[in-house]
Amino acid sequence: MSKRKMLSAIGKESNVKKNNKHWSLGLIESMNDPKHIYKETDRVVVIKDKYPKAKIHYLMLPRDNIESIHKLNKKHISILKEFGSILQDIIEENKDVTLKAGFHAVPSMQRLHMHIISTDMVSPCLRTKIHWNSFTTDFFIPYEDVLRKIEQNGHIEVMSTDLHKSLLATKLKCNKCSYVPRNMPQLRKHLAKHVQYGVLNTLWNFT
Ligand code: AMP
Ligand code: ZN
């Protein structure tokens, strides 16, 4: 699969250019549209992901035009710390679910954005293996790792195309138990059972 196809499969749901604007600018449009906004401060906006891959899926963006994780440097430590503080508020407000926060190693959409996503991964928009692996493998770089790397090294290294491709091609495996589905429909059915059976889900291997 070409790099462009792979990127599209993660973030872009349609090839159509809307209002003549390139699809990769969609987050910048959404962060300026009150109906998409969940929370905002002077420097940061949190929007609802338009194609959520779990029951809760937000994107946190800076108002400053930082293009991606690869443009981060030590000057951005303060905005990253503000990300962390808003993240804590969001975790407090959603105590009934487990949330994780991080960045895709190779993002498809413009403007730095941190995913805040519940670990159920139950959503009609979660359709492809690439969607799954982009949140459950090392393709997903946790917030704490990004902050640490920027504090220590002042930059995030670009992931090699070989590693990027192999991570997104990783064999499917449940993120809550050892179940290995044959395909996405099987995995989706299985994930729904984890939600249905709630607290018992870590003890059982549903098939
Ligand atoms: P990434 O692969 O990290 O660039 O992810 C981009 C995210 O943006 C995906 O989770 C998409 O579902 C989401 N997305 C795509 N277009 C929009 C939009 N116009 N508004 C809000 N979220 C979007
Ligand atoms: Zn499972």
Side-chain angles (χ1 to χ4, degrees), residues 174-179 190-191 194 201 204-206:
C174 178
N175 61 342
K176 294 198 186 301
C177 75
S178 57
Y179 178 58
H190 174 85
L191 293 170
H194 274 299
N201 67 26
W204 293 353
N205 257 4
F206 304 111

Side-chain angles (χ1 to χ4, degrees), residues 80 142-154 156:
L80 282 174
Y143 163 75
E144 295 75 16
D145 292 5
V146 169
L147 177 61
R148 199 190 57 251
K149 281 182 185 164
I150 295 300
E151 283 177 332
Q152 286 175 359
N153 313 327
I156 304 289

